[in-house]
Amino acid sequence: MHKFRKKRVVLIVTSAALIGALSFSTLLSDFALGDDTQKINDLTKQQQNLQNQIKDTKNDLKNTTIEKNKQLNQLNQINSNIDAAQNTIDSLAASITETENNIAAAENEIANKQRDYDGRMAIFCNRLKEMYEYGDMNYVDVLFQSSDFSDFLTRFEYLRYVADNDNKLLEEVVALRTSLEEQKNSLETQKTSLEAQKKQHEEKVAQLELASQEKEALVSQIKEDENSLYAMLDAMEEESDRIASNIAALQTSSGTAPAALMWPAPSSRYITSPYGPRTHPITKKQSIHTGIDIGAKYGTNILAAASGKVIVSTYNSSYGNYVVVDHGGGMSTLYAHMSKRSVGVGDNVSAGQVLGLVGSTGMSTGAHLHFEVRINGKHTKPNPYLGI
Ligand SMILES: [Zn+2]
């Protein structure tokens, strides 16, 4: 009975110790693994959120750029309208000056004509007075008072001249009068018309200048918005890089990095976009393409470029579904825009093992594999590793 009890106690103690040891070791490994996985997941989530923010900001930036361009075009249109109006006003001003000179000259001419008219009118009035005063005198009397034929002819010529002259004088006086009136009226009309046009154009310029001021204020506001958006974008990209380096810190640096990598998309060898600097098609902002794009067909296999351990298998708005494989020695490879992921964090993979399928998730315009090689988290040109 005693023996049995003792045996039982020993068994219980041993079991407890065993369970305790097991639990403790499980707990330890859980803690160690869970801690790292949790950190990676948290950081990946943070990165994902940042990528979403970057995407939103880029969209805002795109819309702002489009809006800004629209406003700038409007401003340019208004400026050219103002220029055209200014040219019209300048030529009108020149025309006004010319017309004013013409008016001055015409007024001078009118004054001279007026004097001429007044003089001729005075002569004409005297002739009328003479004819009235010598009303009984007729041309025949004048002729018969001739002393001889020569005198007769002289008198005859004289009388004809006087008669012609009277008619001519009258015609001249009337013509002069009419001409003077016409000239005065014409000048007045021209003056009035020019003044009206001048006023109209001045009003137009004032309107255009006001519109231009409004537009300029709007454009400067938009530029300000754009600058703050750029600042936000830069800050978030910096943060994203920092998190990427944290992920890199969590990968193992032990072992030796592979010197050569397998081609990760066996269905295609076509590189649609190389590694290196390129200009964003919308924002025109210079950025670096952190990997190579392989134009593989949708749904075809994506293979591990070398053996290693999966340290990231997630989705974010930029990379879409993507996987990072740690190859040891500080080297990792990244596979983005997958339509499907076939591996999870912690999986050990062999070279050539299927990681997922080609797709177009995230910031992608068509099915392709975005493939990156990273050394200690920092992207590098994959070409030498791939033998291209
Ligand atoms: Zn790419």
Side-chain angles (χ1 to χ4, degrees):
M1 188 65 189
H2 175 76
K3 219 177 182 181
F4 177 75
R5 268 184 69 187
K6 195 183 173 185
K7 210 175 177 181
R8 216 178 136 183
V9 168
V10 168
L11 192 68
I12 288 164
V13 169
T14 313
S15 301
L18 199 64
I19 289 162
L22 266 172
S23 302
F24 186 62
S25 71
T26 310
L27 196 71
L28 255 181
S29 68
D30 270 1
F31 179 76
L33 183 69
D35 192 37
D36 272 6
T37 309
Q38 193 57 44
K39 264 189 190 168
I40 291 172
N41 284 344
D42 284 354
L43 287 165
T44 307
K45 257 182 206 161
Q46 277 185 46
Q47 197 182 21
Q48 196 174 319
N49 287 338
L50 277 162
Q51 294 293 350
N52 283 336
Q53 284 179 44
I54 288 170
K55 196 187 175 189
D56 289 349
T57 309
K58 277 184 175 166
N59 277 337
D60 286 353
L61 195 61
K62 186 180 117 185
N63 292 335
T64 307
T65 305
I66 291 167
E67 187 60 27
K68 188 198 78 180
N69 286 341
K70 230 160 65 183
Q71 299 290 356
L72 281 175
N73 284 341
Q74 281 179 15
L75 185 72
N76 284 342
Q77 186 56 52
I78 282 183
N79 283 340
S80 65
N81 287 348
I82 287 172
D83 286 349
Q86 192 57 59
N87 286 340
T88 310
I89 283 159
D90 289 348
S91 64
L92 191 68
S95 166
I96 286 167
T97 306
E98 198 188 327
T99 309
E100 278 170 352
N101 289 339
N102 288 345
I103 287 169
E107 278 169 350
N108 198 31
E109 205 184 317
I110 285 168
N112 288 338
K113 265 189 186 171
Q114 188 69 50
R115 268 197 297 278
D116 194 10
Y117 170 79
D118 291 347
R120 277 166 201 267
M121 199 58 186
I123 294 166
F124 186 67
C125 285
N126 281 338
R127 285 293 303 142
L128 285 178
K129 204 178 158 197
E130 272 173 26
M131 280 158 87
Y132 173 75
E133 280 173 355
Y134 306 99
D136 50 346
M137 188 193 85
N138 60 41
Y139 294 146
V140 179
D141 291 339
V142 173
L143 284 177
F144 278 96
Q145 283 164 18
S146 314
S147 51
D148 51 27
F149 188 65
S150 169
D151 187 35
F152 170 82
L153 283 178
T154 308
R155 282 170 184 262
F156 180 77
E157 280 305 312
Y158 172 75
L159 285 172
R160 206 169 67 174
Y161 171 77
V162 167
D164 281 355
N165 238 23
D166 284 351
N167 281 336
K168 237 189 216 167
L169 190 61
L170 184 62
E171 276 169 16
E172 270 176 14
V173 164
V174 169
L176 211 51
R177 174 114 201 160
T178 311
S179 158
L180 271 171
E181 291 306 317
E182 274 173 7
Q183 214 166 355
K184 277 180 179 172
N185 285 342
S186 157
L187 283 171
E188 282 311 309
T189 308
Q190 219 180 342
K191 255 180 167 175
T192 310
S193 156
L194 282 170
E195 287 302 319
Q197 270 179 296
K198 203 177 170 184
K199 206 173 178 182
Q200 193 185 340
H201 274 82
E202 273 170 8
E203 280 168 7
K204 199 178 169 189
V205 162
Q207 278 175 8
L208 287 172
E209 274 176 359
L210 194 68
S212 175
Q213 277 170 15
E214 280 168 8
K215 290 291 173 190
E216 271 170 20
L218 201 58
V219 164
S220 83
Q221 181 59 52
I222 287 164
K223 271 184 184 165
E224 215 172 90
D225 292 349
E226 188 195 26
N227 288 343
S228 65
L229 276 168
Y230 263 112
M232 262 169 72
L233 192 65
D234 288 347
M236 281 190 291
E237 276 177 348
E238 227 169 78
E239 184 66 6
S240 174
D241 284 349
R242 198 183 65 78
I243 286 172
S245 66
N246 280 354
I247 289 172
L250 288 164
Q251 73 182 150
T252 178
S253 56
S254 65
T256 313
L261 294 171
M262 256 182 76
W263 187 257
S267 68
S268 171
R269 304 233 8 135
Y270 181 51
I271 295 175
T272 54
S273 183
Y275 173 88
R278 67 178 178 188
T279 307
H280 194 284
I282 298 151
T283 63
K284 306 288 175 200
K285 199 185 167 194
Q286 184 84 7
S287 52
I288 192 153
H289 188 220
T290 52
I292 56 167
D293 287 348
I294 303 167
K297 275 186 186 153
Y298 190 92
T300 54
N301 286 336
I302 295 169
L303 311 180
S307 65
K309 190 178 180 180
V310 175
I311 56 166
V312 176
S313 175
T314 188
Y315 173 88
N316 88 13
S317 58
S318 297
Y319 283 11
N321 282 311
Y322 77 104
V323 166
V324 179
V325 179
D326 175 17
H327 302 296
M331 185 199 266
S332 60
T333 49
L334 184 149
Y335 313 76
H337 308 309
M338 290 175 167
S339 57
K340 188 189 170 223
R341 284 179 278 126
S342 314
V343 290
V345 172
D347 286 359
N348 286 306
V349 295
S350 52
Q353 187 178 328
V354 174
L355 301 176
L357 304 177
V358 170
S360 186
T361 52
M363 286 178 115
S364 165
T365 50
H368 75 281
L369 168 63
H370 172 93
F371 176 72
E372 290 183 7
V373 175
R374 288 183 176 248
I375 303 296
N376 298 323
K378 206 171 170 254
H379 59 78
T380 186
K381 193 174 186 173
N383 303 38
Y385 298 99
L386 295 167
I388 55 170

